[in-house]
Amino acid sequence: MALTHAILVTLGDESYSGYDLWKKFSQTSRYYWQASQQQIYRELGKLEKEGAIASEVVPQEGRPDKKLYRITDQGVEKLKTWLLEPAEPMAVREELLVKLIAANLVPKSVILQQIQSRLQIHSKQLLVYKTKEQEKFSDLAQLSYKQKCHYLTLRCGIRYESSWIAWCEEAIAMLS
Amino acid sequence: MALTHAILVTLGDESYSGYDLWKKFSQTSRYYWQASQQQIYRELGKLEKEGAIASEVVPQEGRPDKKLYRITDQGVEKLKTWLLEPAEPMAVREELLVKLIAANLVPKSVILQQIQSRLQIHSKQLLVYKTKEQEKFSDLAQLSYKQKCHYLTLRCGIRYESSWIAWCEEAIAMLS
DNA sequence: AGCTACATGTAACGAGTTACATGATTAT
DNA sequence: ATAATCATGTAACTCGTTACATGTAGCT
C-alpha cells in the first residue's frame, strides 16, 4: 500500500518532521492522499527501521525539538521500483450514496440537507484549489515537466470537486 | 463505518446470501461501495450476532445450501438512526496522483502508460453505467422517489468516470 | 483434465481510526 | 484563564486485504 510511498515521495523533494508531514497531508496533499498524524508517525518509524529514510534531531528555541526526516538512496530505489508497478484506481466507498439507496426510510428533508451540506463542503474546497491554481500555475507555458505533473494532480482535485458540485445540484433539482 | 450499513441497506430491499451480496457489491453497487467476499461474510456474522439481521438455510439441488439473510426490525431501527447522522466525504487516496508527484524519477513513457491504462479502465466502466442508465432509467418522468434516489447514485458513478476520463485526456495532452 | 460458477468460511496480516498521554509557547 | 499551535509518541480497536481450506456441478 501507499502511505509509505506518499511519504517517500514527499520526502523526495525536501526534509520534513512528522508534524510537518501531517500538516502537508491535511492541507496541500489533500487531493491525492489523506492520512492522520498517528498513521504518519507509525509509518515514519517503520520506514526508518528498514532504512528508507533517516532522521536528525533539530533543536529549536521556544519549541520542542523536532526530528527531521530525509529520504536515503535505498528509499529512492524503493520509490523507483514502486513507480513501475501499475496503479489501481481507488476503491469507492461513498456513505452518502449508500444513504440515498435507503432514503425512503427518513423524511426527504434529511437527505436534501445532507446533499446541501456536501455541496457546501465541495464548493469550499474547490475555491481553495482554484485559488492555488491561479496563484501558482497561472502561466502554463512556463512550467517544467515536474511542475506540470504537480499541476495535474491539482487539476484532478479541481475536477473531482466540480464533479461533486454538479452532482449535488442535479440531485437537489431532481428531489425537490 | 459503513460496510455494515451498506449491507443493511441492501438487505432492506430483499433477502440475499453472502455470495449474492458479494456479486451485488462487485457489480451493481460498485459505484457507491466496494467490499470483498471475506469482508462481507465477516460482517454478516457480526450483524447476525447483534440481531440486526437473521438467516435461514435454504437447501438447493445440485448446489451447496445457502444462508439467506433478511433484515430484522432492530436492523431497520439501526439504519434509521444512521441515516440521520451526517455523511462524511470519502477519504481520497489516489495512488496514480502520488506517482505523478514523483514522475521525474522514471521515464515519461512509464507515467503516460499508467494514465492511458486508467483512461481505458474508466472508459469501460462508463460504458457499463451508461448502458444501465439507458436500460433502466430511460423515462425519468415516470420514476418514483425511491427510483430517483437510485438513479442519482448511478449518475454519481457516471460523473465520476467521466471526470476521470476528461482528466486523463488533459494529462496525456499536457505531458505528450 | 482443467476451468468457471456456486457456496461458506478461518487465519494472519496490514492499514486506518480513536483514545490516551505529555508538555512548552503564543495568542485572545 | 483557556484555547490553539508546536511536537512526538503508545495502545487498543476496527476495517480491509491476502492466503488458505473445502467441496459440488457444469462446461469445454
Side-chain angles (χ1 to χ4, degrees):
Chain A
M1 272 304 294
L3 171 56
T4 312
H5 301 106
I7 289 175
L8 282 179
V9 166
T10 310
L11 292 178
D13 290 326
E14 52 180 309
S15 295
Y16 286 92
S17 69
Y19 191 77
D20 292 337
L21 276 171
W22 168 63
K23 277 193 300 176
K24 178 121 178 132
F25 277 92
S26 339
Q27 291 153 29
T28 326
S29 310
R30 251 188 83 83
Y31 44 92
Y32 58 84
W33 206 270
Q34 265 162 261
S36 68
Q37 217 180 349
Q38 289 70 19
Q39 232 188 317
I40 291 166
Y41 281 119
R42 181 171 56 185
E43 219 57 44
L44 283 171
K46 276 191 204 168
L47 280 168
E48 190 169 23
K49 242 183 211 162
E50 74 179 66
I53 59 174
S55 68
E56 179 199 0
V57 176
V58 179
Q60 297 187 117
E61 280 169 33
R63 285 180 186 182
D65 294 355
K66 65 164 142 184
K67 254 169 125 173
L68 256 192
Y69 290 94
R70 59 171 184 79
I71 194 167
T72 62
D73 292 349
Q74 204 187 309
V76 174
E77 283 316 305
K78 194 183 155 120
L79 255 188
K80 281 186 188 167
T81 310
W82 172 73
L83 280 164
L84 298 177
E85 293 165 14
E88 297 295 319
M90 162 175 70
V92 174
R93 292 194 180 95
E94 197 56 68
E95 246 183 305
L96 180 57
L97 300 186
V98 181
K99 290 195 176 179
L100 255 185
I101 302 283
N104 54 315
L105 291 177
V106 286
K108 198 197 270 186
S109 59
V110 172
I111 295 298
L112 276 174
Q113 217 203 313
Q114 297 244 18
I115 298 172
Q116 220 106 35
S117 151
R118 282 297 286 268
L119 179 56
Q120 270 181 35
I121 291 171
H122 294 296
S123 302
K124 205 174 152 186
Q125 199 58 51
L126 179 62
L127 190 67
V128 172
Y129 293 164
K130 286 220 160 171
T131 305
K132 190 171 175 185
E133 188 182 30
Q134 285 191 327
E135 282 173 0
K136 298 208 168 174
F137 302 101
S138 54
D139 191 359
L140 293 186
Q142 292 293 92
L143 297 182
S144 67
Y145 175 62
K146 205 185 156 117
Q147 285 172 321
K148 277 182 188 168
C149 290
H150 211 289
Y151 174 63
L152 282 169
T153 66
L154 180 59
R155 287 293 302 158
C156 195
I158 288 174
R159 284 183 185 280
Y160 180 78
E161 303 298 338
S162 304
S163 166
W164 266 102
I165 290 168
W167 180 84
C168 287
E169 282 165 353
E170 179 181 359
I172 290 166
M174 179 165 269
L175 298 181
S176 293
Chain B
M1 273 302 292
L3 170 57
T4 311
H5 300 107
I7 290 175
L8 282 179
V9 165
T10 311
L11 292 179
D13 290 327
E14 53 180 307
S15 294
Y16 287 91
S17 70
Y19 191 78
D20 292 337
L21 276 171
W22 169 63
K23 278 192 301 176
K24 178 120 180 137
F25 276 92
S26 341
Q27 292 153 28
T28 326
S29 310
R30 250 187 84 84
Y31 43 91
Y32 57 85
W33 207 270
Q34 263 162 263
S36 67
Q37 219 181 348
Q38 289 68 20
Q39 232 188 318
I40 290 165
Y41 280 117
R42 182 171 55 181
E43 219 56 44
L44 284 171
K46 276 191 204 168
L47 280 168
E48 190 169 24
K49 242 184 209 163
E50 73 181 64
I53 59 174
S55 70
E56 180 198 0
V57 177
V58 178
Q60 296 186 115
E61 280 170 35
R63 286 181 185 180
D65 295 353
K66 67 163 139 183
K67 254 169 125 174
L68 257 191
Y69 290 94
R70 59 171 183 79
I71 194 168
T72 61
D73 292 348
Q74 204 188 309
V76 173
E77 284 316 304
K78 194 183 156 123
L79 255 188
K80 282 186 187 169
T81 309
W82 172 73
L83 281 165
L84 299 176
E85 292 165 14
E88 297 296 319
M90 164 175 67
V92 174
R93 292 198 180 91
E94 197 55 71
E95 246 183 304
L96 180 58
L97 299 187
V98 181
K99 290 195 176 177
L100 255 185
I101 302 282
N104 55 315
L105 292 177
V106 288
K108 198 197 272 188
S109 59
V110 172
I111 295 298
L112 275 173
Q113 218 202 313
Q114 297 244 20
I115 298 172
Q116 220 106 36
S117 152
R118 282 296 287 267
L119 178 56
Q120 269 180 35
I121 291 171
H122 294 296
S123 301
K124 204 174 154 190
Q125 199 56 50
L126 180 62
L127 190 66
V128 172
Y129 293 164
K130 285 220 162 175
T131 306
K132 189 172 176 185
E133 187 183 29
Q134 285 191 328
E135 281 173 1
K136 297 207 170 178
F137 302 101
S138 54
D139 190 359
L140 293 186
Q142 292 293 91
L143 297 181
S144 66
Y145 175 62
K146 209 189 153 114
Q147 284 172 321
K148 277 181 189 168
C149 290
H150 211 290
Y151 175 62
L152 282 170
T153 65
L154 180 60
R155 288 293 301 160
C156 196
I158 289 174
R159 284 183 184 280
Y160 179 78
E161 303 299 339
S162 305
S163 166
W164 265 102
I165 291 167
W167 180 84
C168 288
E169 283 164 352
E170 180 181 356
I172 291 165
M174 178 166 270
L175 298 181
S176 292

